[in-house]
Amino acid sequence: MGEMGEIIWILESTGGERFPYRLSIKRGEEVLLCLRVQDRWPGGKGNIFCKREEGRVWSPPVAEVERVPVVALKRYGKRLAVVLDRGRNKRCEFLFLKKRYKTKEGEYEQIFWRTQQALKERRPRVKLTAQGTSFLHVAIDVNEKYPWKFSGCKVTREKLPVGDYGVMGAEGPLAIVERKTLENLLAEFGTMSVLHQQLGELEVYRYAALVIEANYSDFLSSARVKFYRSTFVAKAIAELFALHPKLNIVFAGSRKLAREWTLRFFSAIQSHEKDVPPAVVREAVAAYSTQPSFQGGSYYGVKKKVMEEMPPQFTISLLRESCPDVPQATIRKVLNDLKREGRLMSHGRGLKSYWERLDGGEGDPE
């Protein structure tokens, strides 16, 4: 038996004629996914048709065929990708589709089990998982000078919690991009500790990128870097990658290409977030994932709570109790930003201090 928290892949034989195997993915006694399948492994046969076990009467399993730990479980659109902890036959995926009935109203589900090898051999027509979307709401930070232009998008200027550009969803930024020119980044190498703090704040977001309007080779040119040795600059860049592994760092080459990369990045992120997966995929990944559940960081969540849910007068202790998982620095930043915007006022000092929400501010938080 696997340890609590360990994800286990279990294949059992059933003796059934059409679906002779039951495939389960479990964490302890919790069932994340349970399907009746037509074979032990897809191999080179292409797709194996599957049926959900729940909601139907099936013959019980008679013997366990294999039990393997799961290394990775991740959703890509309507696909659930699985990696098993073994040398062979370790990568596969389940495709969950909804089809409309031809002769009556409603939809039915189709589930296909396939492997990496089968996809390579059959070479299906290429279709991107994140198709992209034609409409984007792009927010540009109010402090960004000479911003990029995003034709065909809804563009607003507003105070972003971090970064220079964000693609906006219903509850704040879905993704954030920080823009740097070659000169900007070289200047910030002089205070590396401050730069690491800034990138660490950016890295809190589920989707974030540092996009540089230069090529990597530009930073190794003594004529371009001037005040630094190219060996120092190379080490500094390597340190950024090493200390911020969750952050996308992109050398786009030019201002035009940096804007183009950001536009495609925002489009893909919005497409992915709007592609609602089947419940079985969403629940299985949610149960497996150890990543934070928020998409855009906690800044906007705290801001919304202050302006819409907290009483007109409240203490910072009460706000902290309402946001137990939010860093104290984020709460302080929200309060100070709202105070600068004229939407909050602070009273008193120490234990007797409190905050008051003011009417007639600049509008509701996004």
Side-chain angles (χ1 to χ4, degrees), residues 148 150 254-265:
W148 296 330
F150 296 90
S254 68
R255 176 183 173 90
K256 180 180 178 180
L257 292 178
R259 184 205 67 86
E260 178 67 16
W261 186 94
T262 298
L263 181 63
R264 301 303 176 189
F265 175 60

Side-chain angles (χ1 to χ4, degrees), residues 15-257:
E17 184 175 347
R18 191 179 177 200
F19 295 94
Y21 298 96
R22 178 170 78 172
L23 175 60
S24 305
I25 300 178
K26 293 184 176 182
R27 177 168 56 188
E29 296 301 317
E30 180 185 8
V31 179
L32 304 183
L33 181 64
C34 189
L35 301 172
R36 292 293 173 129
V37 300
Q38 295 180 323
D39 208 337
R40 297 179 56 165
W41 187 258
K45 301 175 182 179
N47 297 335
I48 288 182
F49 186 61
C50 311
K51 285 278 191 182
R52 293 193 201 224
E53 184 173 80
E54 61 268 29
R56 295 180 176 87
V57 178
W58 301 94
S59 57
V62 295
E64 184 173 305
V65 177
E66 63 180 9
R67 179 180 291 258
V68 185
V70 173
V71 175
L73 188 68
K74 188 172 179 62
R75 176 180 76 87
Y76 300 98
K78 295 178 175 61
R79 298 179 292 121
L80 180 65
V82 184
V83 181
L84 303 178
D85 187 12
R86 62 187 181 193
R88 298 181 58 190
N89 294 340
K90 65 179 182 178
R91 295 188 183 92
C92 66
E93 68 178 29
F94 297 91
L95 176 63
F96 296 82
L97 300 175
K98 289 288 187 180
K99 298 287 186 179
R100 290 191 175 277
Y101 289 109
K102 293 182 179 179
T103 58
K104 61 179 181 180
E105 293 293 324
E107 295 179 326
Y108 63 96
E109 185 179 54
Q110 287 186 335
I111 306 174
F112 297 99
W113 181 19
R114 53 194 189 178
T115 65
Q116 182 185 73
Q117 186 62 29
L119 291 173
K120 286 182 178 180
E121 292 176 357
R122 291 175 174 264
R123 292 187 177 274
R125 181 173 64 89
V126 176
K127 184 177 181 181
L128 297 177
T129 299
Q131 292 289 308
T133 180
S134 58
F135 176 79
L136 295 173
H137 174 189
V138 178
I140 303 175
D141 188 74
V142 293
N143 295 320
E144 174 72 347
K145 296 181 180 180
Y146 313 110
W148 296 330
K149 294 182 179 180
F150 296 90
S151 301
C153 301
K154 176 185 176 182
V155 178
T156 56
R157 295 297 294 262
E158 52 191 276
K159 179 63 178 176
L160 292 174
V162 65
D164 299 314
Y165 303 89
V167 59
M168 307 301 287
E171 309 212 347
L174 296 175
I176 290 287
V177 162
E178 172 79 17
R179 177 182 73 94
K180 295 291 185 188
T181 64
L182 182 145
E183 291 76 18
N184 291 154
L185 196 55
L186 288 175
E188 297 198 15
F189 284 162
T191 53
M192 283 293 286
S193 59
V194 176
L195 178 58
H196 282 308
Q197 290 178 5
Q198 293 173 346
L199 298 185
E201 187 177 2
L202 192 67
E203 201 174 16
V204 167
Y205 281 73
R206 184 177 178 185
Y207 306 113
L210 170 65
V211 182
I212 304 163
E213 297 178 353
N215 292 311
Y216 177 69
S217 58
D218 294 332
F219 289 89
L220 304 183
S221 169
S222 57
R224 300 293 302 272
V225 299
K226 296 181 181 178
F227 303 109
Y228 296 111
R229 290 187 178 184
S230 57
T231 52
F232 166 80
V233 175
K235 290 180 180 179
I237 292 173
E239 185 174 300
L240 298 184
F241 279 88
L243 299 189
H244 304 279
K246 296 180 181 178
L247 182 64
N248 293 295
I249 302 178
V250 180
F251 293 93
S254 68
R255 176 183 173 90
K256 180 180 178 180
L257 292 178

